[in-house]
Amino acid sequence: MRVLVTGGSGRLGRSVVAALAARGHEVTSVDLAPADPPPGVAGLVADLLDADARSGVFASARPEAVVHLAGIAVPFARPDVETLQVNTGLAWAVLGAAVEHGARVAVAASSPTVYGYNTPGWRPRYLPLDEEHPVAPWHAYGLSKLIVEEAVRALARTSGDCVLCAVRPGYVVAPQEWAGAPTQLGHTMAERVADPGLAGTSLFNYVDAADAADLFARIVEDPGRAEHGGVYNAVAADPLAEGPVDALMARLHPGSAPVAGALADGRAVFSSDKARRDLGWEPRASWRDLLRVDRAG
């Protein structure tokens, strides 16, 4: 298939374009900044908020599938208004263009931050958190991602033959970050394991970039199995902690104490069962294997 990936030079984007190319697809990566794409991937530089530039990208790539990853990727990285404007504007523009240009499927990146954790009064109704759990974002980034999901749902109502959905990748870990490079918040993965206070800010979730890329690829390749207008969590099966996180959750997120016992068997705080059921997706990577050298050191 001809696949257009926006934000293809980012932390997750590099793994997504590489995975799609390795699976035999004709991949075009578009980003704001020039970058050397992997072998077999065409690279474009464009501001997709510019209508003329966006039209040129779609005319050039002629995508049958669109994976939308572009946007401000970290909470508080930019002023709140800019985060809202960029992330929501890009999603509506890119997904709308996918429908307009006849793509068969378009999938956008959302975020687990839509659940609204890290507020003093946050009280999950149950754990682990699945896609049916209510969402309540409290910062501009989380709100922007919820609006991305709403854009998916809105466009799905009139999209004809184009299947649209969203994926909530967890704390994405790129290959160089398993090897010790700083992650998106400036800590190494080994530091996040060693200090529950660091990993606890994201509810001990993570996902290997290659695993997340596999879910995006599965949706692209078999959109008939995806929920039209739906959303999928994409997190590793185990928490980023040495043992079960029930006690850690109760201590670091007191509002979760009444339901944290559900995690006493070692499961992750987020459930990806829906992606398993619908798309056969299984996260394969575990920090326990990939950080073996760091832990020994």
Side-chain angles (χ1 to χ4, degrees):
M1 296 173 65
R2 295 185 303 275
V3 186
L4 175 65
V5 180
T6 74
S9 299
R11 168 179 284 102
L12 175 57
R14 291 190 295 271
S15 291
V16 171
V17 297
L20 289 168
R23 293 163 88 121
H25 299 293
E26 182 182 330
V27 183
T28 300
S29 170
V30 59
D31 218 309
L32 272 177
D36 293 327
V41 175
L44 297 176
V45 177
D47 180 358
L48 292 169
L49 287 173
D50 180 275
D52 290 338
R54 187 170 63 250
S55 294
V57 166
F58 274 82
S60 173
R62 299 179 297 115
E64 298 165 278
V66 175
V67 178
H68 175 55
L69 309 176
I72 296 170
V74 180
F76 310 114
R78 303 279 185 86
D80 286 352
V81 171
E82 183 180 355
T83 296
L84 280 168
Q85 290 174 333
V86 169
N87 287 357
T88 60
L90 276 173
W92 187 262
V94 170
L95 297 174
V99 173
E100 178 185 350
H101 286 264
R104 292 170 47 199
V105 55
V107 53
S110 181
S111 164
T113 59
V114 298
Y115 290 107
Y117 48 86
N118 288 327
T119 60
W122 183 68
R123 289 177 172 79
R125 293 188 183 177
Y126 56 84
L127 293 173
L129 299 167
D130 61 16
E131 295 84 355
E132 298 300 317
H133 192 283
V135 293
W138 63 272
H139 50 55
Y141 176 81
L143 176 59
S144 76
K145 290 301 186 177
L146 181 56
I147 296 173
V148 169
E149 294 180 8
E150 288 297 336
V152 164
R153 282 187 275 269
L155 289 165
R157 296 182 185 114
T158 58
S159 65
D161 295 331
C162 182
V163 173
L164 295 107
C165 60
V167 172
R168 297 170 180 164
Y171 193 92
V172 175
V173 188
Q176 68 272 17
E177 294 163 354
W178 289 123
T183 63
Q184 57 190 284
L185 295 182
H187 318 108
T188 67
M189 289 300 289
E191 289 170 337
R192 292 181 70 79
V193 172
D195 183 353
L198 297 178
T201 60
S202 55
L203 305 191
F204 307 95
N205 91 75
Y206 73 97
V207 66
D208 178 58
D211 279 345
D214 179 58
L215 179 54
F216 282 99
R218 285 170 182 264
I219 294 170
V220 162
E221 292 170 346
D222 199 354
R225 295 182 63 180
E227 180 187 2
H228 186 39
V231 61
Y232 291 94
N233 288 346
V235 296
D238 58 340
L240 193 67
E242 290 284 0
V245 295
D246 51 326
L248 291 172
M249 283 291 293
R251 174 166 64 86
L252 296 171
H253 300 275
S256 72
V259 294
L263 308 174
D265 59 0
R267 73 181 71 188
V269 181
F270 298 86
S271 168
S272 298
D273 286 347
K274 182 178 176 182
R276 292 186 183 90
R277 291 193 304 268
D278 288 5
L279 295 149
W281 181 72
E282 291 284 349
R284 292 169 291 184
S286 170
W287 70 267
R288 299 176 189 278
D289 300 320
L290 296 171
L291 280 183
R292 187 172 298 160
V293 173
D294 300 78
R295 295 170 73 201

